[in-house]
Amino acid sequence: MKNFLVKYKNIFVVLTFVFITYLFYLSYINTRSIIIEKNTFQKNLVKINILESLRYADNSFDILEKYLNNEMEQNSILMLEKYNHNSDILTWNLEDLKDQFEKYDIYILDKELKIIKTTFAEDLGLDFSDFPSFAALLQERLEGNNFISDRLDISPTTGKIKKYSYIPTPDNKYLFELSIDISKYFPALKELNIFSNAEIIKEEYDLIEDILFYKFNEDGSEIGLVSQEGGLYLDTDSISTRERDLVSKAISSNSIQVVSSNYNHTTQTEKSLEFIPYLNYFDDEYNDEQKAQLDWWSSYVVGITYDDSITEKELLRERNLFIAKITIISIVFVAFTFSLNYLINHTEKVASSDPLTGLVSRKHFMNYLSKLINNNTNNELVAVTFIDLNSFKYINDTHGHEAGDIVLKEVAKRLKSSLRKNDMVTRAGGDEFLVLINGLSSNRDVETIANKIKDLFSYPAIINDIEINIEASIGISVFPNDAVHPEELLQKADSAMYKAKKNKIPGSSDYEIY
């Protein structure tokens, strides 16, 4: 199991890296979805809030409408009574009537639909025949016999929001008109108007850059931007053709018109727009024709400009964070992989080598010997050489253990440098060494190798400028002549070494072949 883990360690590291990266990716995708959903939720919340404020304003104005309708009808009847007593309207003092009616302005239109008398000087002389669509409506009212009250309307001269009522004289010569400036006489409505709520929403939500309200006239031919500057009025000049087209489309389709996000180079922001229709319809159960009739005055189109760069910045921040995480985890895993390989290799090297001399371990030596024996198909000889340093105890006692270690390193160096690539040397323990030589063809080759190893100990080692003689006893066993098993070969090489030690001449090195 250990060898399996070591062998496939890099695969495990890669799989772990892929798994962690996948988890980071899932987290990134989830966070990205949350940001987008939050943006969508806030947009929907803004739309709901705006539409509810419009509905609330409508309800408030409906109550005001009923009150004003009743009061304007009573005042109109008073004007008819005055006409019945004095039909020469040019002699009328309208200022006295205005004082009586308090907040209402009075208009008198003749058969040509021209204002011939009024308390509102700016409209004096206004000829409605210049407005064909509206003139037809006024003509119909002049020729009728009923009191009619319009919804809140826009003054054609000042653009201010007013309410108008009409009643014809019994002889249909004149049309009496009353009007009231809503913003002037009902300032409390400002506290519940849609503009105040829009400003609150803009302050609450960073993604909202602007909220605008568009209105249109009865036949949809005029579209304007409702403004509060200097009192409520309709601005028909400051909106672009594109805005008009989108507002018209929102009205005709009764559906939200979306302008996808686009980059503004001036402000360096991403912006998107929505044009949301808020359309009311008359619902009069006694008049089938009016069931689907648009209540144009209480209808709006809300234009919301979103600063999408806020969401884009959040998404970019999460993307950069994801990239940073992947970069960091990549660096960590690369460093970890290198460290792991180094530690494993180092551990293997330490486990398979002698820490003092750097030679392979005895276990590794025996495994290699077994491999050579098992794979020997050419009847080649394999020699196992057992070397014991005769004078090592004397060196330690005389020159110290540090000098003894240097001698061991020197012997290891000499043995290793004298061998071929496929030969091997190990430190068996203490002052003993094993040398494995393969690919020999005869006993003569064995003797040649024995003499070569013997010669390695024919000259002293220089340690701290002191010459130290190194003597060795060398025993050799040969496969397959002496044994066919590694341990048996080692045992016989050991026996040969002791024989060489016993027979050797003092002060020299010698070898013995089993």
Side-chain angles (χ1 to χ4, degrees):
M1 182 66 180
K2 180 180 178 182
N3 292 335
F4 177 81
L5 292 175
V6 171
K7 183 177 180 181
Y8 296 103
K9 62 183 180 300
N10 289 334
I11 294 177
F12 292 143
V13 170
V14 170
L15 290 177
T16 304
F17 172 75
V18 170
F19 178 71
I20 294 177
T21 301
Y22 179 68
L23 292 180
F24 278 140
Y25 177 73
L26 289 181
S27 175
Y28 164 66
I29 292 299
N30 184 54
T31 304
R32 181 183 173 86
S33 298
I34 291 174
I35 292 172
I36 294 174
E37 287 175 5
K38 182 187 74 172
N39 177 268
T40 303
F41 175 76
Q42 288 185 343
K43 286 183 177 181
N44 290 333
L45 200 62
V46 168
K47 285 184 279 192
I48 291 172
N49 201 324
I50 288 293
L51 294 178
E52 285 299 320
S53 69
L54 285 169
R55 191 170 289 110
Y56 178 65
D58 275 349
N59 292 336
S60 301
F61 277 105
D62 281 343
I63 296 172
L64 178 62
E65 287 273 2
K66 291 177 182 178
Y67 165 74
L68 293 177
N69 286 346
N70 182 59
E71 191 173 66
M72 294 176 88
E73 184 175 12
Q74 292 178 3
N75 291 338
S76 296
I77 292 173
L78 290 176
M79 291 177 67
L80 288 182
E81 290 176 355
K82 181 175 179 64
Y83 184 77
N84 289 334
H85 289 92
N86 179 12
S87 60
D88 185 6
I89 62 170
L90 295 178
T91 63
W92 286 15
N93 187 337
L94 295 187
E95 292 300 328
D96 289 341
L97 278 177
K98 182 178 171 79
D99 292 339
Q100 185 179 350
F101 295 165
E102 295 181 347
K103 50 187 172 288
Y104 293 99
D105 277 309
I106 304 168
Y107 303 82
I108 300 177
L109 286 69
D110 62 11
K111 285 187 175 183
E112 283 73 33
L113 303 180
K114 185 175 181 180
I115 297 177
I116 60 174
K117 203 170 182 66
T118 179
T119 57
F120 193 72
E122 290 88 341
D123 283 350
L124 184 62
L126 180 63
D127 190 348
F128 285 104
S129 62
D130 294 335
F131 308 95
S133 177
F134 189 53
L137 181 63
L138 291 179
Q139 187 65 41
E140 180 182 342
R141 292 174 179 179
L142 176 64
E143 295 172 357
N145 58 6
N146 297 323
F147 168 80
I148 297 175
S149 176
D150 286 341
R151 297 295 298 271
L152 299 176
D153 204 348
I154 302 170
S155 169
T157 55
T158 66
K160 290 186 177 181
I161 297 177
K162 292 188 175 183
K163 180 175 174 61
Y164 296 86
S165 70
Y166 305 88
I167 192 169
T169 57
D171 55 8
N172 301 111
K173 288 184 177 181
Y174 302 101
L175 184 65
F176 295 152
E177 177 184 351
L178 295 177
S179 74
I180 181 172
D181 187 339
I182 299 299
S183 58
K184 179 179 179 181
Y185 291 100
F186 296 93
L189 292 179
K190 293 181 181 179
E191 299 302 321
L192 52 87
N193 66 41
I194 55 179
F195 298 96
S196 298
N197 190 50
E199 289 300 321
I200 293 173
I201 292 174
K202 284 165 62 177
E203 291 179 3
E204 184 175 354
Y205 295 98
D206 293 334
L207 80 161
I208 304 299
E209 183 171 295
D210 204 1
I211 300 175
L212 302 175
F213 299 91
Y214 300 88
K215 285 190 66 65
F216 45 93
N217 60 1
E218 190 170 5
D219 61 3
S221 60
E222 291 290 336
I223 295 173
L225 184 64
V226 183
S227 175
Q228 260 194 322
E229 295 181 7
L232 291 173
Y233 74 97
L234 196 64
D235 181 2
T236 58
D237 298 323
S238 63
I239 63 175
S240 65
T241 303
R242 185 193 190 197
E243 286 177 280
R244 293 179 194 275
D245 292 341
L246 289 167
V247 171
S248 296
K249 193 171 182 180
I251 297 168
S252 62
S253 64
N254 194 13
S255 62
I256 297 175
Q257 301 301 305
V258 179
V259 179
S260 59
S261 180
N262 56 83
Y263 186 73
N264 188 311
H265 291 280
T266 302
T267 59
Q268 295 185 340
T269 56
E270 293 276 347
K271 294 183 181 180
S272 61
L273 295 89
E274 283 187 336
F275 292 86
I276 308 160
Y278 174 79
L279 306 182
N280 287 315
Y281 294 86
F282 291 108
D283 187 16
D284 188 347
E285 60 180 341
Y286 302 108
N287 188 341
D288 292 338
E289 293 181 356
Q290 287 188 339
K291 281 189 177 181
Q293 183 181 350
L294 180 65
D295 183 4
W296 62 274
W297 181 254
S298 63
S299 298
Y300 295 84
V301 172
V302 183
I304 303 179
T305 302
Y306 300 103
D307 183 359
D308 291 328
S309 61
I310 295 175
T311 301
E312 287 299 321
K313 287 176 182 176
E314 286 189 65
L315 293 174
L316 180 61
R317 184 169 60 249
E318 286 302 320
R319 184 165 64 249
N320 291 339
L321 182 60
F322 170 70
I323 293 173
K325 287 180 179 178
I326 296 303
T327 302
I328 293 172
I329 199 68
S330 298
I331 294 172
V332 169
F333 265 89
V334 169
F336 173 76
T337 302
F338 276 110
S339 300
L340 180 64
N341 287 330
Y342 172 78
L343 289 174
I344 290 176
N345 293 336
H346 181 69
T347 302
E348 290 179 346
K349 184 177 179 181
V350 169
S352 61
S353 64
D354 176 51
L356 177 63
T357 63
L359 298 176
V360 297
S361 67
R362 176 168 176 165
K363 179 180 179 181
H364 186 71
F365 179 91
M366 295 303 290
N367 289 338
Y368 185 57
L369 176 58
S370 298
K371 182 179 178 181
L372 288 177
I373 292 173
N374 294 332
N375 296 334
N376 193 326
T377 59
N378 299 324
N379 296 319
E380 294 179 337
L381 301 180
V382 178
V384 175
T385 305
F386 201 116
I387 303 171
D388 179 78
L389 303 182
N390 299 325
S391 56
F392 187 70
K393 185 177 184 304
Y394 172 79
I395 294 172
N396 275 338
D397 293 342
T398 305
H399 302 285
H401 288 282
E402 184 178 351
D405 289 344
I406 296 175
V407 167
L408 292 175
K409 292 179 183 179
E410 175 66 21
V411 171
K413 181 180 178 182
R414 292 181 184 184
L415 290 171
K416 194 171 182 179
S417 63
S418 67
L419 300 179
R420 298 168 303 175
K421 181 178 180 181
N422 294 329
D423 298 335
M424 185 175 288
V425 60
T426 184
R427 182 185 174 202
D431 59 349
E432 297 174 338
F433 293 87
L434 295 174
V435 179
L436 186 154
I437 303 163
N438 69 90
L440 303 176
S441 58
S442 65
N443 289 332
R444 187 171 182 175
D445 289 341
V446 175
E447 290 184 1
T448 301
I449 292 298
N451 286 309
K452 185 177 179 181
I453 294 175
K454 175 183 174 182
D455 290 342
L456 294 176
F457 300 94
S458 62
Y459 55 93
I462 307 301
I463 301 174
N464 297 327
D465 298 328
I466 301 174
E467 290 188 356
I468 299 178
N469 293 320
I470 306 173
E471 300 176 10
S473 297
I474 304 166
I476 302 172
S477 65
V478 180
F479 166 87
N481 300 347
D482 301 326
V484 293
H485 297 293
E487 291 295 338
E488 190 177 356
L489 280 169
L490 194 63
Q491 182 181 0
K492 291 185 175 181
D494 188 26
S495 297
M497 182 272 294
Y498 275 106
K499 186 176 180 181
K501 184 186 287 286
K502 182 178 179 181
N503 296 330
K504 92 175 189 67
I505 300 173
S508 66
S509 298
D510 203 358
Y511 70 87
E512 186 75 31
I513 299 175
Y514 185 80

